[in-house]
Amino acid sequence: MGAAITTTNLTKTYTLRGNRRVNVVQDLNLEVEEGEIFGFLGPNGAGKTTTIKMLLNIIEATSGVATIFGHDVDDMTVHRIISYLPEKPYYYEHMTGQEILRFYASLFGIKDEAKCNALLEKVNLYNDRTKPISQYSKGMQQRIGLAQSLLNDPKLLFLDEPTGGLDPIAHIEIRDLILQFRDEGKTVFISSHELSDIERICDRVAIIVKGKIARQGKLEDLLAGGRIEITAENVPDSISQNLKAKLTDGIVSTSHNRLIVDLPDSHTPNEVLDALRGSDAQILSVIPRRKRLEDLFLETVQEDTTAPEAKA
Amino acid sequence: MKVILSIAKTTFAEAIRRKVLFIIFLIGLTFVGIAPGLSVLSARQERTVLVGFTLGIIQLTSALIAIVLTVYLIPNEIERRTIYTILSKPVRRVQFFVGKYLGAVAALGMMMAAMTALLILVFAWQQRETSIAQLAPLAKAPVLYFIQMSLLAAVAMCFSAMVQPIVNFFLSGGVYLVGTLFGTVFQTLQENQGTHPATKAFATFVMSILPNFNRFNVQNPIINPNAQIGNEAAYYLSSTAYGLAYIAVLLIIGMIAFDRREF
């Protein structure tokens, strides 16, 4: 599999009043593999949408290079194999779902009515196809948005907050559709604040903070380093002292007659459990605490805000 | 071309559904419809006044429609993000821009045609006139008005790639006013021997930049005394060519600005 998206030192600088220059995106180096679901995360104003707009050639990069399937983003042939679903999309309200699809199909020169109907069925809107968009719920509008983004059978989809503001049912429907895209071999580039969704469906992620990539990699690698928490009570002091001395990579603390041992998941808990079982202690719980994307995200953003440069 | 037509078709469908335009259009239609009741003149004067007044109504209504319709065309697409889904498809900005303009002009043309049709009906009813030969000439002036309003729409379209809608409204309205009312004044300044050379140069400069909207007002010799039409067909053709040339230049400037615009 080759690269679907590659960016090299992609930078977008805006000049504000007083000739002040702001780097909204700075030296961005991304590589998205073909066929993967890639999560693009970052706090508000981090440069996510600006990056997507540069990749779609809606705005021009100040410097750097971006290619899609090896072609420059300003190559019109690229636009035949990609699609985009913007955040909170709006469609011409006077049109029906069917007319919207016909309109977008016409932009590709597609006149295949059967294809439009098949897509309406795929997003579960076939029965509502003759209703005007103004009567569509938010979830239905998002689904018609996904349908229009599939008209050209794209190899790469850009989805900006695809589940934002949806009710739980619509949310699950959209998430399942995105998973279907992967099964169909499509590459999906998602920008989202829904970290639980990203964690569930993405293969790799990048976290952008203040226009720069702060973390990038496979989710399993980025989320490695979970912890195990063992709680026991009535632990004899000798055992507690012994564990404190032995477990140099863990944290052993006592509170309200309870011993809490916090170990990295690379460390087997058997040693602690055996020591506790050999005494009068009662083991209350053994909880594996897997590192979540939310933890990684917060950690990354906080690292950046407490960095000396940020403080300055 | 198909892409341009698709965008034009959608723009047209959206334009004719815009409430504010529909209200302006209805007001125009109402005035055209009640025009006979406003005249208290003799039969012969009535005929001239009725036509002049009604054509004036059509012109004013069309100018308002042209500006209000066009100033929001691009900003609305950006605000509602529809432009992103369209430009992410194999659609060039130039195609989008031209498609929007053509859709707007088509909507404008339809509304003008409806007002002209009503003018002819009202005239036929009031004058008890049924001869096609007598009624058909009434449609001549609106043909040039349509070119005039298409030019005004091109002015607004050009500005819409550069400024906010409210600024564009006054800017386009200003260009139309200056190009219509003050064209004669500037021309007089230019031709008057006693005029200061600096004023003359300024008048020449303004006249050479702004489109002369008076060129399309053939029905009113008071407003347009220089329009001595020897060969009517030639005049119509040259005025149309003048309008189309200006429209092309304005659209090219607008397209260049829109192509560089970031949103």
Side-chain angles (χ1 to χ4, degrees):
Chain A
M1 289 274 179
I5 302 172
T6 311
T7 69
T8 313
N9 297 328
L10 197 67
T11 301
K12 181 67 193 176
T13 307
Y14 286 106
T15 307
L16 306 178
R17 278 181 191 169
N19 221 18
R20 201 162 63 89
R21 290 164 72 84
V22 177
N23 286 331
V24 180
V25 174
Q26 195 177 346
D27 294 324
L28 191 88
N29 294 304
L30 274 182
E31 182 138 334
V32 179
E33 294 295 322
E34 209 175 329
E36 73 179 357
I37 301 185
F38 188 89
F40 194 49
L41 316 174
N44 288 333
K48 300 187 297 290
T49 303
T50 304
T51 304
I52 292 179
K53 284 182 188 171
M54 282 193 281
L55 292 171
L56 294 169
N57 198 35
I58 288 172
I59 58 172
E60 207 177 327
T62 310
S63 63
V65 180
T67 61
I68 290 179
F69 295 109
H71 299 275
D72 281 342
V73 289
D74 58 358
D75 185 339
M76 223 5 111
T77 55
V78 164
H79 291 252
R80 295 206 160 269
I81 52 171
I82 63 168
S83 69
Y84 175 49
L85 178 67
E87 183 184 1
K88 293 179 198 153
Y90 171 95
Y91 299 100
Y92 301 110
E93 286 192 342
H94 65 273
M95 286 184 169
T96 63
Q98 197 168 37
E99 285 167 345
I100 281 284
L101 285 199
R102 278 184 198 147
F103 166 63
Y104 282 106
S106 72
L107 301 180
F108 288 103
I110 298 170
K111 284 184 178 173
D112 190 348
E113 191 71 19
K115 183 169 195 166
C116 292
N117 287 338
L119 284 172
L120 285 164
E121 271 175 11
K122 181 171 186 156
V123 297
N124 202 17
L125 281 176
Y126 186 77
N127 293 333
D128 299 300
R129 67 190 186 284
T130 51
K131 278 186 188 168
I133 294 288
S134 54
Q135 289 179 20
Y136 276 23
S137 67
K138 220 170 181 179
M140 290 162 85
Q141 289 197 18
Q142 202 72 343
R143 278 186 278 148
I144 198 74
L146 275 175
Q148 68 80 20
S149 71
L150 293 170
L151 277 162
N152 56 329
D153 194 16
K155 285 170 77 179
L156 168 64
L157 288 108
F158 290 92
L159 308 178
D160 198 354
E161 295 290 352
T163 53
L166 298 182
D167 66 51
I169 294 170
H171 191 119
I172 292 165
E173 281 174 353
I174 299 287
R175 202 176 60 200
D176 290 347
L177 275 170
I178 295 169
L179 284 169
Q180 264 186 47
F181 299 158
R182 178 169 50 194
D183 298 339
E184 291 164 9
K186 299 183 191 305
T187 310
V188 185
F189 185 94
I190 306 179
S191 162
S192 178
H193 285 130
E194 301 285 345
L195 298 179
S196 59
D197 282 348
I198 295 287
E199 192 172 344
R200 196 175 291 198
I201 65 177
C202 287
D203 304 300
R204 292 198 312 129
V205 297
I207 302 176
I208 182 171
V209 184
K210 291 180 185 164
K212 293 178 186 173
I213 293 289
R215 290 270 206 291
Q216 183 173 192
K218 282 186 178 176
L219 258 179
E220 60 198 59
D221 295 340
L222 292 172
L223 298 182
R227 304 192 73 82
I228 300 167
E229 190 183 277
I230 303 163
T231 309
E233 61 182 12
N234 301 326
V235 182
D237 280 350
S238 58
I239 301 284
S240 298
Q241 295 306 324
N242 195 17
L243 287 174
K244 275 182 188 170
K246 272 187 177 175
L247 301 173
T248 50
D249 57 346
I251 303 162
V252 181
S253 56
T254 340
S255 170
H256 299 96
N257 199 29
R258 284 183 177 183
L259 178 84
I260 301 164
V261 181
D262 188 30
L263 291 171
D265 63 0
S266 54
H267 194 122
T268 169
N270 290 344
E271 185 187 353
V272 180
L273 295 174
D274 290 345
L276 293 171
R277 283 196 200 105
S279 70
D280 292 336
Q282 276 182 295
I283 300 169
L284 298 176
S285 63
V286 180
I287 304 169
R289 295 216 184 273
R290 185 175 170 259
K291 193 172 184 179
R292 291 171 306 156
L293 185 57
E294 193 178 271
D295 302 325
L296 177 76
F297 183 82
L298 284 174
E299 190 185 299
T300 309
V301 174
Q302 277 163 5
E303 264 173 25
D304 190 85
T305 49
T306 54
E309 190 190 349
K311 280 179 184 169
Chain B
M1 194 62 195
K2 280 180 183 169
V3 167
I4 293 175
L5 286 177
S6 287
I7 293 169
K9 209 172 131 187
T10 311
T11 306
F12 173 83
E14 206 185 14
I16 58 171
R17 284 171 175 84
R18 274 184 60 191
K19 281 177 191 159
V20 63
L21 293 176
F22 192 66
I23 290 167
I24 299 171
F25 174 59
L26 272 187
I27 293 171
L29 275 183
T30 309
F31 272 101
V32 172
I34 64 168
L38 300 174
S39 181
V40 287
L41 304 168
S42 67
R44 184 170 172 73
Q45 283 174 314
E46 205 171 78
R47 184 186 170 108
T48 317
V49 170
L50 172 68
V51 174
F53 175 77
T54 318
L55 285 174
I57 292 293
I58 292 177
Q59 202 175 14
L60 183 68
T61 309
S62 308
L64 258 177
I65 291 172
I67 296 177
V68 174
L69 169 61
T70 323
V71 294
Y72 285 103
L73 275 185
I74 302 285
N76 271 356
E77 295 279 344
I78 296 171
E79 195 186 325
R80 300 179 312 198
R81 297 188 180 91
T82 35
I83 196 165
Y84 299 134
T85 41
I86 293 173
L87 292 183
S88 66
K89 309 271 186 278
V91 176
R92 294 187 186 280
R93 287 191 182 202
V94 169
Q95 292 173 310
F96 179 78
F97 193 84
V98 174
K100 294 304 287 182
Y101 174 74
L102 291 180
V105 164
L108 180 66
M110 197 200 73
M111 293 187 206
M112 290 182 76
M115 287 189 282
T116 306
L118 185 62
L119 158 71
I120 293 170
L121 280 175
V122 166
F123 184 84
W125 170 76
Q126 199 215 22
Q127 303 290 320
R128 308 280 184 270
E129 184 64 73
T130 51
S131 157
I132 300 287
Q134 291 293 317
L135 294 173
L138 289 171
K140 276 186 189 170
V143 169
L144 277 191
Y145 288 173
F146 175 63
I147 304 293
Q148 185 186 46
M149 295 312 153
S150 301
L151 175 56
L152 178 58
V155 170
M157 194 75 190
C158 177
F159 287 139
S160 78
M162 305 172 207
V163 296
Q164 296 297 313
I166 192 76
V167 179
N168 190 357
F169 180 85
F170 288 107
L171 213 50
S172 302
V175 168
Y176 181 63
L177 269 181
V178 173
T180 307
L181 299 177
F182 301 132
T184 318
V185 177
F186 279 126
Q187 214 160 342
T188 313
L189 277 174
Q190 207 182 7
E191 287 162 4
N192 195 338
Q193 297 298 318
T195 311
H196 193 276
T199 315
K200 211 179 244 186
F202 177 69
T204 311
F205 175 71
V206 172
M207 284 298 287
S208 58
I209 287 182
L210 289 187
N212 181 8
F213 284 99
N214 255 342
R215 205 185 160 107
F216 308 96
N217 290 337
V218 285
Q219 97 291 352
N220 195 336
I222 298 164
I223 295 173
N224 197 17
N226 294 325
Q228 300 296 328
I229 303 170
N231 182 338
E232 200 181 48
Y235 184 83
Y236 269 68
L237 274 176
S238 70
S239 294
T240 304
Y242 171 85
L244 292 178
Y246 247 108
I247 288 169
V249 171
L250 285 163
L251 289 184
I252 289 168
I253 295 169
M255 280 187 276
I256 292 169
F258 182 60
D259 201 44
R260 291 178 179 181
R261 186 167 170 183
E262 300 214 319
F263 36 79

